[in-house]
Amino acid sequence: MKRMISACLRFEAPDLWLAVPAALFPVLVVEVTALMIAATEDDPEALVLLPGVGMILTVVLCCVLGVVYLCSNFPLLLQFSASRRGSLAGLCLHILRMTVLAEVIAAAATIALGAVNHGFFPRFAVGELWRGIPVFVWPICAVLPVLVGLVWAGVLTRFGRTGGWVLYFLFIGGCFSTDKWLHLLAEQPWMVVFPVGVLAALAVCGAKWLMKAAVK
């Protein structure tokens, strides 16, 4: 199994470059928005929250990559009579390292661009950038794409396209109802543990369904 994990990580290593656009695109969007706010409005709180928005966008893009890898590459590896556990573990570790790399790049780029912006707009305080992001959120962001990928790929394996469409509409519904639940997480960030716990339980089910996937 260890050999299969190592082989899988080497096989997926050339795709690590995808972490760069996944990190830099949200950062650039957020920094341009921050510059516009700093130039036209006196709203320092908005500037504090924007890096969190950029991190959310980076994690969402990593979640998309996680779903793609587990939905496409896992069946591909099964065709080579590879170990199911080793393949699944290797892909999950690859998604995890890609997400961590994207987070590091996003954080470094945000700090660097924030320092430049601070030179033009003094109230754009670089020291305030991460005030809205609790420390425990970072590891959750790192594992979130793995959990989402396991749930989505597992549901597609078990229920087919119907299950995938159900998850898609649930995701869209959650995005359009952020005004109803996001403020709760902003006021009490520790509550994020509950939805992540439910997602982790579903990810375990998704992993079991993937382990029983038919070789096509």
Side-chain angles (χ1 to χ4, degrees), residues 67-119:
V67 171
V68 170
Y69 272 101
L70 284 170
C71 287
S72 60
N73 287 18
F74 184 68
L76 176 65
L77 292 174
L78 291 182
Q79 294 180 8
F80 296 96
S81 300
S83 167
R84 289 175 180 260
R85 290 184 179 180
S87 300
L88 188 59
L91 284 174
C92 289
L93 287 175
H94 171 68
I95 296 168
L96 179 62
R97 70 178 178 177
M98 180 177 289
T99 305
V100 172
L101 180 60
E103 286 185 354
V104 171
I105 294 173
T110 301
I111 292 174
L113 292 176
V116 174
N117 291 342
H118 181 65

Side-chain angles (χ1 to χ4, degrees), residues 70-71 74 84 88 92 146-159 167 198-213:
L70 284 170
C71 287
F74 184 68
R84 289 175 180 260
L88 188 59
C92 289
V146 176
L147 299 179
V148 172
L150 286 172
V151 172
W152 206 293
V155 169
L156 286 175
T157 300
R158 178 65 177 82
F159 302 102
L167 287 179
V198 173
L199 187 63
L202 293 174
V204 172
C205 296
K208 290 182 178 179
W209 292 330
L210 285 172
M211 294 300 295
K212 298 178 181 179

Side-chain angles (χ1 to χ4, degrees), residues 16-110:
L16 284 176
W17 68 271
L18 292 173
V20 177
L24 294 185
F25 176 73
V27 168
L28 292 176
V29 171
V30 166
E31 290 302 320
V32 171
T33 305
L35 283 173
M36 294 173 62
I37 292 176
T40 59
E41 300 178 14
D42 187 10
D43 190 1
E45 285 300 318
L47 298 179
V48 171
L49 293 175
L50 278 174
V53 175
M55 184 57 62
I56 290 174
L57 292 176
T58 297
V59 173
V60 169
L61 291 179
C62 289
C63 287
V64 173
L65 290 175
V67 171
V68 170
Y69 272 101
L70 284 170
C71 287
S72 60
N73 287 18
F74 184 68
L76 176 65
L77 292 174
L78 291 182
Q79 294 180 8
F80 296 96
S81 300
S83 167
R84 289 175 180 260
R85 290 184 179 180
S87 300
L88 188 59
L91 284 174
C92 289
L93 287 175
H94 171 68
I95 296 168
L96 179 62
R97 70 178 178 177
M98 180 177 289
T99 305
V100 172
L101 180 60
E103 286 185 354
V104 171
I105 294 173
T110 301

